[in-house]
């Protein structure tokens, strides 16, 4: 991988666009990146990392690094463009972080611009750049695949941070393991350890569950067998005993055999009880049938006597039915007469009403005379239509003249209002212009204050977190001290109990001796004087409980220390972000900025309203001018129109005076004549209806009298009284039919011979037969219940036996699997006796990688130290290292003394070139591990100030040797002596308005 160029815009300390030409800097192989503290040397490396991976190195990212430059103008966006060659492909990566930008157009304020990324590739055949992707995820995956390293590996291998490797030299095995685990990604080996441990726990739980299930099945078998289980000896084996399964199966077979014998005896008892029950049921049925026949005969005799008592009532029903049928023949004539009577009464009432409304001269007039008078009035109405139209036109003219007067007054008011408003126009327009200018000034100030608001809030939040975390750190430190004290007390108690148990172990062994059995210590079969436990003897259980208590206390201590470490890191980060200012000061500053920003933003928000107000005022000015001109034109048109209306109104008045006569108006006379015509028409029609209904009533009376005589009634009223409606006729017929049906049914039952014969026999007694059957059924149910219980017990025992057999077959392979997995888990966890060094699998792999790194680092360390020092890997367990990171020791061999010593004993300069050699060796090993991607550009950050002149020459020679095969190395340092030794330099200059870069080639 080779870097060609880097373009930075508004990034970090660089306010303007700066370009770094890596091709020119790499031409000499070794170049220097220098400048004063805080100028932005490290920001150049941050920009490279941000372009490739979308984020800066982890240590600086954790401190809340702000990518956007404070020196950049608001309209310039932060952007990084990196051009590089990797995997034989020339690529260009462009990234923009999420940032604030001013709103477009005339709007004020800021909006959040989302993060954006672009990836392009140079096509050598066409000489053009081809766009590949704009997806953050796709670009990240493509870069990671081509480079072969993730961000952490890239920062350790390409951007060599010397301070980190100096700490790596002095760190313990745990810290070294964390860094190596990230670089070489040994999570899969730790996952293998955890997986095997999970499998071991799972298999152990399955075996234990299988043993418990066998014992549970034995208990369920005893419950299913019932009281008879006491007759059979129960299994004596415990969980884990090899013969437990066989003993449980044998015991279950004996239980099933006894239960089957009891089931057969119960079956014979059920058969005998069922025979007795059938005989009792037949006897009960015979008694019930006899009782039924005797009751049937008695009921028939009672019904026959009741019919004889109701015969006279039956004859009355028959006579009433015959009269009603005769009256049905008179019903049509009676209905016609009733209808004619109703019509005549209605016509009479209408006739009397109209006579009361007619003039006295017409009260006795006939229908023809009334119709003639109506005809003459309607002819007069036809002559009034033209006069009615003229009268309506006269009213319309009067209304139209009134409307013209109202319009004239409205136009006069409109002209006066327009003149008054236009007189004030110049001053109104000036006020709107001043309001717009004030809003523009407020918008500019709000934009400036908004850029200060978020940093002020961030510092205030950090200060609050700092103060809150300070108290939490104190409390956590106290908790750590309490946890350490508790762990120490628990350990002392455990060791004390252990020592007391070892002192009395002879008595514990003697308790296991038995006459005739060999001693486990000396093998003797005679035990003349076994030791006895003294006062305060400690058994194994007490020791184990004390050891477990120490384990819990130690875990609590570890958790408390971890919590304290996390709180201290958070406190340090908050303190770095907040500075030394107090919360009160920062809150006051943030409140002041917030208040000023809110005031400016409120004033700036009036911009749109001010412009709209000006637009409305200008529109109102135009509208007022047009309204005044239109009012003047309408006034001239109204004058001519009013004169024409006056002439038409005078002509209509003369004609209407002649037509309406004595009436107040033509319409009034028309309504009066129309009312008279309608009254005469209604009266004529009423007279005709009255005469017609009287004739129909007379004819209906004659027809009714004739029909009543023919039906056998003396008068029509007798026929009306004999009539019955359909409901009453159906009710009467139903009574007659019911009496006749009952008579037929009684006659039929009196002819039954079986009922008559049963009546001659003694009275039946079904209750006695029912009691005998109940007793037989109870005996049968008891026998059946006993049989069902015995059968269910046999079925339950058989089912439990099958379950026990299946569980015994299933448990065999599980136990074998548990033993195999337990051996593998112990081997990878370092707890097995087969693991001689007691190393975990992950630690073993990391130890192999560290050995490779030490070998690669030694090749460069020999030259830097003039052959004196050699880095070697040590897999010996150190005191207090625990078992988690055993095998990650790192020592230095001094050829001057021939002794091996810890890397922490190196001096400052020796530590620098040792850590540099270690970093370069680690870069080689990680590169090979990542797929062998060639790294043509490396950066080394600081540390050269601790070297003397001779050692510095050796280090420069080693770095210069890295240039072989066209590799370039960039040194980041502010050591002045390096500027004389390295001619090719990139200088970062700190300026008031943002840093700048200068190339010295």
């Amino acid at each position: 991988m080779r870097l060609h160029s880097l373009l930075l815009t508004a990034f970090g300390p660089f306010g303007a666009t700066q370009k770094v030409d890596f091709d020119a800097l790499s031409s000499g192989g070794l170049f220097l990146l220098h400048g004063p503290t805080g100028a932005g040397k490290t920001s150049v490396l941050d920009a490279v990392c941000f372009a490739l991976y979308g984020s800066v190195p982890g240590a600086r990212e954790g401190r809340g690094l702000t990518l956007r430059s404070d020196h950049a103008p608001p309209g310039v966006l932060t952007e990084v463009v990196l051009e590089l060659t990797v995997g034989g492909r020339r690529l260009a990566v462009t990234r923009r972080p999420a940032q604030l930008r001013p709103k477009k157009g005339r709007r004020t304020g800021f909006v959040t611009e989302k993060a954006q990324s672009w990836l392009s590739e140079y096509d050598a055949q066409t000489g053009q750049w081809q766009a590949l992707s704009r997806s953050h995820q796709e670009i990240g995956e493509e870069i990671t695949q081509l480079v072969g390293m993730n961000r952490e590996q890239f920062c350790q291998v390409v951007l060599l941070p010397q301070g980190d490797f100096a700490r790596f030299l002095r760190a313990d095995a745990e810290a070294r393991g964390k860094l190596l685990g990230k670089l070489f990604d040994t999570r899969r080996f730790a996952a293998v350890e955890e997986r095997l441990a999970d499998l071991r726990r799972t298999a152990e739980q399955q075996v234990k569950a299988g043993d418990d299930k066998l014992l549970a099945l034995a208990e369920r078998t005893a419950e299913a067998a019932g009281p008879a289980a006491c007759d059979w000896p129960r299994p004596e084996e415990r969980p884990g005993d090899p013969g437990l399964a066989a003993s449980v199966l044998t015991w279950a077979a004996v239980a099933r055999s006894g239960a089957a014998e009891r089931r057969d005896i119960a079956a014979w008892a059920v058969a005998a009880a069922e025979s007795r029950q059938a005989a009792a049921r037949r006897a009960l049925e015979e008694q019930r049938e006899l009782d039924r026949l005797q009751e049937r005969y008695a009921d028939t005799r009672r019904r026959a006597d009741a019919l004889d008592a109701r015969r006279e009532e039956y004859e009355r029903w028959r006579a009433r039915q015959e009269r009603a049928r005769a009256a049905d023949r008179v019903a049509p004539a009676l209905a016609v007469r009733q209808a004619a009577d109703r019509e005549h009464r209605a016509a009479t009432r209408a006739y009397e009403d109209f006579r009361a409304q007619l003039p006295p001269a017409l009260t006795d007039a006939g229908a023809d005379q009334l119709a003639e008078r109506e005809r003459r009035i309607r002819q007069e109405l036809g002559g009034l239509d033209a006069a009615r139209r003229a009268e309506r036109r006269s009213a319309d003219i009067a209304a139209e003249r009134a409307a013209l007067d109202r319009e004239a007054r409205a136009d006069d008011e409109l002209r006066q209002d327009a003149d008054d408003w236009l007189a004030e126009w110049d001053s109104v327009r000036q006020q709107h212009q001043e309001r717009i200018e004030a809003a523009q000034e407020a918008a500019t100030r709000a934009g400036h204050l908004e850029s200060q608001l978020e940093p002020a809030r961030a510092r205030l939040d950090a200060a609050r977190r700092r103060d809150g975390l300070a108290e939490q750190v104190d409390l956590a430190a106290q908790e750590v001290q309490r946890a350490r004290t508790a762990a120490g007390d628990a350990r002392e108690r455990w060791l004390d109990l252990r020592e007391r148990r070892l002192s009395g172990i002879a008595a514990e062994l003697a308790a296991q001796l038995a006459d005739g059995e060999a001693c486990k210590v000396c093998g003797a079969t005679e035990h003349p004087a076994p030791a006895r436990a003294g006062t305060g003897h400690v058994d194994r259980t007490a020791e184990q409980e004390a050891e477990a208590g120490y384990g819990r206390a130690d875990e609590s201590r570890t958790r408390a220390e971890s919590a304290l470490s996390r709180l201290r890191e958070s406190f340090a980060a908050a303190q770095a972000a907040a500075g030394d200012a107090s919360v009160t000061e920062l809150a006051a500053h943030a409140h002041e900025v917030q208040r000023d920003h809110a005031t400016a933003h409120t004033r700036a928000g009036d911009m749109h309203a001010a412009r709209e107000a000006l637009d409305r005022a200008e529109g109102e000015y135009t509208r007022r001018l047009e309204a005044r001109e239109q009012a003047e034109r309408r006034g001239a048109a109204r004058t001519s129109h009013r004169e024409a209306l006056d002439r038409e109104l005078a002509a209509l008045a003369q004609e209407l005076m002649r037509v309406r006569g004595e009436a107040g108006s033509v319409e009034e006379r028309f309504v009066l004549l129309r009312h008279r015509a309608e009254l005469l028409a209604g009266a004529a029609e009423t007279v005709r209806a009255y005469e017609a209904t009287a004739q129909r009533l007379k004819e209906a009376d004659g027809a009714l009298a004739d029909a009543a005589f023919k039906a056998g009634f003396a008068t029509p009223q007798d026929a009306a009284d004999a009539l019955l409606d359909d409901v009453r006729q159906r009710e009467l017929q139903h009574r007659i039919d019911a009496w006749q049906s009952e008579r037929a049914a009684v006659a039929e039952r009196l002819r039954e011979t079986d009922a008559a014969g049963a009546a001659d026999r003694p009275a039946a007694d079904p209750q006695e037969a029912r009691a005998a059957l109940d007793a037989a059924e109870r005996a049968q149910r008891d026998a059946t219940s006993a049989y069902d219980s015995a059968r269910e017990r046999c079925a339950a025992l058989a089912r439990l036996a099958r379950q026990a057999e299946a569980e015994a077959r299933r448990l065999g392979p599980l136990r074998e699997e548990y033993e195999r997995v337990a051996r593998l888990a112990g081997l990878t966890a370092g707890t097995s006796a087969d693991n001689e060094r007691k190393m975990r699998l992950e630690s073993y792999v990391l130890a192999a990688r560290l050995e490779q790194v030490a070998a690669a680092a030694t090749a460069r360390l020999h030259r830097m130290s003039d052959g004196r020092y050699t880095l070697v890997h040590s897999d010996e367990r150190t005191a207090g290292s625990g078992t988690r990171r055993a095998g990650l020791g790192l020592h230095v061999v001094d050829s001057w003394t021939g002794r091996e010593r810890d890397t922490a004993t190196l001096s400052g300069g020796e530590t620098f070139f040792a850590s540099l050699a270690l970093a370069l060796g680690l870069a080689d090993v990680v590169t090979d591990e990542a797929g062998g991607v060639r790294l043509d550009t490396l950066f080394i950050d600081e540390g050269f100030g601790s070297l003397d002149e001779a050692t510095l020459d050796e280090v420069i020679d080693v770095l210069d040797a890295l240039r072989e095969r066209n590799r370039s190395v960039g040194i980041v340092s502010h050591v002045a002596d390096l500027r004389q030794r390295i001619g090719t330099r990139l200088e970062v200059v700190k300026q008031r308005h943002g840093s700048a870069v200068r190339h010295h080639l």
Side-chain angles (χ1 to χ4, degrees), residues 777-827:
E777 287 180 344
R778 284 195 298 272
Q780 188 271 341
R781 283 196 300 271
D782 294 340
T784 302
S785 177
Y787 172 72
D788 292 341
S789 178
R791 185 177 58 184
E792 291 175 359
R793 183 174 290 112
C794 290
L797 291 174
R799 183 173 62 256
L800 291 171
R802 290 192 298 270
Q803 294 177 6
E805 292 173 358
E807 185 64 25
R809 289 193 300 269
R810 188 186 67 84
L811 192 57
L814 288 178
R815 189 177 296 277
E816 296 176 359
E817 177 69 15
Y818 165 68
E819 294 174 354
R820 180 171 65 256
V821 171
R823 288 195 301 271
L824 288 175
L827 184 63

Side-chain angles (χ1 to χ4, degrees), residues 82-155:
L82 176 65
E83 187 177 337
L84 72 160
T85 297
V86 58
R89 300 167 61 185
R90 185 154 184 163
L91 304 174
V93 185
T94 304
R95 291 191 186 270
R96 291 178 182 174
Q99 54 192 302
L100 295 177
R101 65 164 177 81
K103 294 181 179 178
K104 296 180 179 179
R106 301 172 64 182
R107 296 179 298 174
T108 60
F110 293 83
V111 296
T112 301
E113 183 81 11
K114 294 183 179 180
Q116 302 182 57
S117 302
W118 294 270
L119 178 63
S120 304
E121 182 175 5
Y122 182 75
D123 190 345
Q125 296 181 355
T126 61
Q128 301 291 330
W129 287 94
Q130 303 293 331
L132 298 181
S133 176
R134 295 190 61 175
S135 169
H136 300 295
Q137 182 177 1
E138 292 180 358
I139 295 174
E141 294 176 354
E142 183 73 12
I143 293 297
T144 302
Q145 183 177 2
L146 289 174
V147 177
M149 292 178 285
N150 57 31
R151 187 191 68 174
E152 293 181 350
Q153 292 175 325
F154 178 83
C155 294

Side-chain angles (χ1 to χ4, degrees), residues 10 15-16 68-77:
R68 179 165 179 79
S69 175
D70 295 333
H71 303 286
V76 178
L77 296 179

Side-chain angles (χ1 to χ4, degrees), residues 49 53 55-59 61 149-159 161 164-165 178-179 181-185 187 922 926:
C49 183
Y53 296 98
S55 59
V56 297
E61 184 182 41
M149 292 178 285
N150 57 31
R151 187 191 68 174
E152 293 181 350
Q153 292 175 325
F154 178 83
C155 294
Q156 293 289 346
V157 173
V158 179
L159 312 178
D164 291 350
F165 283 95
K178 290 181 179 178
L179 176 61
K182 293 179 180 178
L183 294 178
F184 295 106
D185 193 13
R187 290 175 296 180
L922 183 63
V926 171

